[in-house]
Amino acid sequence: MDNKEKFRGLCLEVLPLINGIAETVKRNGYETMASLTTKGDDYFSFSIHGSDWKMGKVNGGPVNMRYEYEEEIQLQDQRQEKMAYNKAFENLVEISLVYVGMLEEHRRLNNVDRITWEQLFVQWANDFEAVQASIDWSQEEYLEEIGKFARNKILEYVGLEG
């Protein structure tokens, strides 16, 4: 509980600063995401999504603006992975739909970051397929079972009962 209160205090202190940054970004004509990463006095990085300009400070050095040029290159024999439609992918889609349907009822789900949810959904999609692969489902039973499975996993992860 000490960590919770410590973090709450930090949140209350930085929220006005975050709001100030968000207002400044918007006032300067940017209607997109801004990112700020810090580590003590030695490092920070600030960027606006979709802009090639960044601001940063590394190893206690001066604050710099920099322009980042980016160009994708590919070797002739390099192939990009393509997503394939299969049962695990179908499970992933169904789990995602269950999650979206639960958001309004269970606000606590918003407390978990998107990347964590993505990783969990992939894991659960594979888990469900591994356990259920040998069962011959009708489409209705399958959707009902993956729905129950997803709902239970999601609620269990955030510490709620189904």
Side-chain angles (χ1 to χ4, degrees):
M1 285 310 239
D2 289 340
N3 285 338
K4 177 181 176 183
E5 292 308 313
K6 181 179 178 181
F7 187 72
R8 181 187 312 274
L10 176 63
C11 290
L12 293 172
E13 195 171 330
V14 299
L15 188 56
L17 302 171
I18 292 169
N19 288 337
I21 291 170
E23 288 171 16
T24 302
V25 167
K26 195 176 232 179
R27 188 174 61 246
N28 280 276
Y30 294 96
E31 297 289 333
T32 187
M33 293 186 296
S35 297
L36 174 64
T37 304
T38 66
K39 182 179 184 281
D41 294 337
D42 289 350
Y43 173 87
F44 79 83
S45 175
F46 177 76
S47 63
I48 301 291
H49 183 73
S51 171
D52 295 325
W53 287 96
K54 314 282 185 225
M55 179 176 61
K57 177 181 176 182
V58 179
N59 296 329
V63 175
N64 292 306
M65 278 182 40
R66 69 182 181 278
Y67 180 81
E68 291 187 351
Y69 175 76
E70 184 177 308
E71 180 177 331
E72 183 176 329
I73 60 171
Q74 224 175 31
L75 301 175
Q76 281 184 330
D77 62 346
Q78 187 178 12
R79 309 224 191 309
Q80 290 191 347
E81 281 187 45
K82 292 186 178 183
M83 191 179 318
Y85 183 81
N86 56 33
K87 283 292 192 182
F89 177 78
E90 185 178 358
N91 294 343
L92 179 62
V93 170
E94 292 302 326
I95 291 168
S96 299
L97 291 171
V98 169
Y99 167 80
V100 169
M102 294 173 66
L103 281 173
E104 192 168 319
E105 180 184 353
H106 300 284
R107 296 280 182 202
R108 184 187 277 182
L109 300 180
N110 289 312
N111 295 341
V112 178
D113 67 277
R114 181 182 60 86
I115 293 171
T116 300
W117 281 128
E118 288 172 2
Q119 292 169 348
L120 288 169
F121 292 173
V122 169
Q123 176 187 330
W124 295 338
N126 287 322
D127 290 350
F128 185 81
E129 188 54 30
V131 171
Q132 308 297 333
S134 61
I135 299 173
D136 183 25
W137 301 97
S138 75
Q139 186 63 18
E140 292 78 26
E141 291 171 339
Y142 177 82
L143 292 175
E144 185 178 318
E145 287 303 311
I146 186 73
K148 284 187 222 173
F149 174 86
R151 184 173 177 78
N152 288 336
K153 287 288 191 180
I154 291 166
L155 291 174
E156 180 182 297
Y157 185 78
V158 294
L160 295 171
E161 292 186 26

